[in-house]
Amino acid sequence: IDLGPTAPVEREIEAWRAALELARPTGDAPARLRKTVWTPLEKHIAGAKVVLVSPDGPLGRLPFAALPGRKAGATLLE
């Protein structure tokens, strides 16, 4: 699935990681990251029980299980 140009994806990953390092994973950085990286995939994996991810580029530094979940404060793994 093509997520578009690399630069915007990398910016969102860096903003999210910076928020985590400051122990402030709240705000809009988690929601923006989810919208940029996960939301485009959802329609392709609807109903799947297991999703295998093979990231490339800046996505390789992203722990997908720790992506923000649908509910505030939740992670994708939850």
Side-chain angles (χ1 to χ4, degrees):
I1 310 293
D2 186 358
L3 298 178
T6 302
V9 173
E10 189 166 17
R11 275 194 304 273
E12 295 304 337
I13 291 170
E14 291 305 319
W16 179 68
R17 292 176 66 95
L20 286 176
E21 288 175 8
L22 295 173
R24 291 184 290 144
T26 56
D28 64 343
R32 286 193 331 258
L33 179 62
R34 180 181 171 84
K35 182 178 178 183
T36 302
V37 175
W38 192 254
T39 301
L41 305 176
E42 285 183 319
K43 65 182 175 186
H44 300 284
I45 58 173
K49 294 182 193 255
V50 175
V51 176
L52 301 177
V53 179
S54 179
D56 187 26
L59 293 173
R61 298 183 310 125
L62 178 65
F64 276 80
L67 273 172
R70 288 185 182 178
K71 296 179 182 177
T75 63
L76 187 62
L77 184 63
E78 297 171 313

